[in-house]
Amino acid sequence: MKRRKLLQSIALSTGALVILPSWAQGWSREQIVTNQVFLLEEKEMLRLIAGTFIPEGTSKGANGVGVELFLDKLFSDCYTIEDQNKLKAAIKALSLQADLNHHLAFGACNSAQREGLLLDLEKSAEHLWAYTTLRSETIRGYTTSEYVLTEHYHYVMAPGFYHGCVNV
């Protein structure tokens, strides 16, 4: 082995050993930054909205498959701050409208009242984008969930079978 290659290998190994403890420290559970885009009340509103779009019935609805977690992660990681603010404004408007119309919180309203509030949100030009985004992403989250794919679409991860040692 040439001396230059040997010195490079030693320097690289030493650097890796120096960096490794700080790198390994970053994986502790306490240091993982959690998603702080939506407040707890807004996350609960996402759950209620998803449950209103796809309610529970004979099969699981949006809340049964965890669409609210999908929505929270999707809106936090894949949408811009401006879009997140539009969604937050629509959620706040929905909550205020429920209080004005029914003197109840959105979660305390029955399903017919929540559907009416969402339809009013759809008619609002200011919140139309937020309504259509919430509706389409809820549907996408539901139809791509493991429950729906396996129970309704009969999706198989790797179709076909392997038969080893078969006489030809």
Side-chain angles (χ1 to χ4, degrees):
M1 182 179 250
K2 297 195 178 203
R3 185 174 37 174
R4 188 171 292 181
K5 284 285 191 188
L6 180 65
L7 289 175
Q8 282 179 342
S9 298
I10 291 172
L12 186 61
S13 299
T14 305
L17 287 174
V18 168
I19 293 172
L20 184 63
S22 64
W23 173 78
Q25 233 178 9
W27 289 99
S28 68
R29 186 175 281 279
E30 293 80 26
Q31 292 181 347
I32 294 176
V33 178
T34 58
N35 179 7
Q36 296 297 327
V37 174
F38 292 105
L39 301 173
L40 288 175
E41 298 85 22
E42 294 167 336
K43 290 179 184 182
E44 178 63 19
M45 285 291 288
L46 284 176
R47 187 185 71 75
L48 292 169
I49 291 168
T52 305
F53 282 130
I54 306 173
E56 303 288 326
T58 56
S59 62
K60 291 181 181 179
N63 292 337
V65 298
V67 171
E68 71 276 3
L69 301 173
F70 169 78
L71 292 176
D72 180 35
K73 188 72 171 164
L74 176 74
F75 293 144
S76 300
D77 292 350
C78 302
Y79 281 75
T80 63
I81 294 172
E82 293 83 21
D83 292 342
Q84 292 170 0
N85 290 334
K86 287 181 190 177
L87 289 166
K88 288 180 179 185
I91 289 171
K92 187 174 182 178
L94 196 61
S95 181
L96 290 174
Q97 196 64 33
D99 192 34
L100 289 174
N101 289 1
H102 305 293
H103 304 291
L104 295 169
F106 186 77
C109 294
N110 62 30
S111 62
Q113 291 170 333
R114 281 189 272 172
E115 288 172 12
L117 290 167
L118 284 169
L119 289 174
D120 290 342
L121 188 71
E122 179 186 20
K123 293 174 187 170
S124 168
E126 180 183 359
H127 301 298
L128 178 63
W129 178 85
Y131 171 82
T132 55
T133 302
L134 282 168
R135 186 186 64 198
S136 64
E137 296 298 354
T138 299
I139 292 169
R140 182 170 71 139
Y142 182 74
T143 56
T144 58
S145 69
E146 180 183 2
Y147 170 77
V148 172
L149 288 174
T150 57
E151 298 297 319
H152 295 286
Y153 295 137
H154 305 294
Y155 174 79
V156 179
M157 179 74 163
F161 300 97
Y162 173 72
H163 303 289
C165 299
V166 175
N167 293 332
V168 180

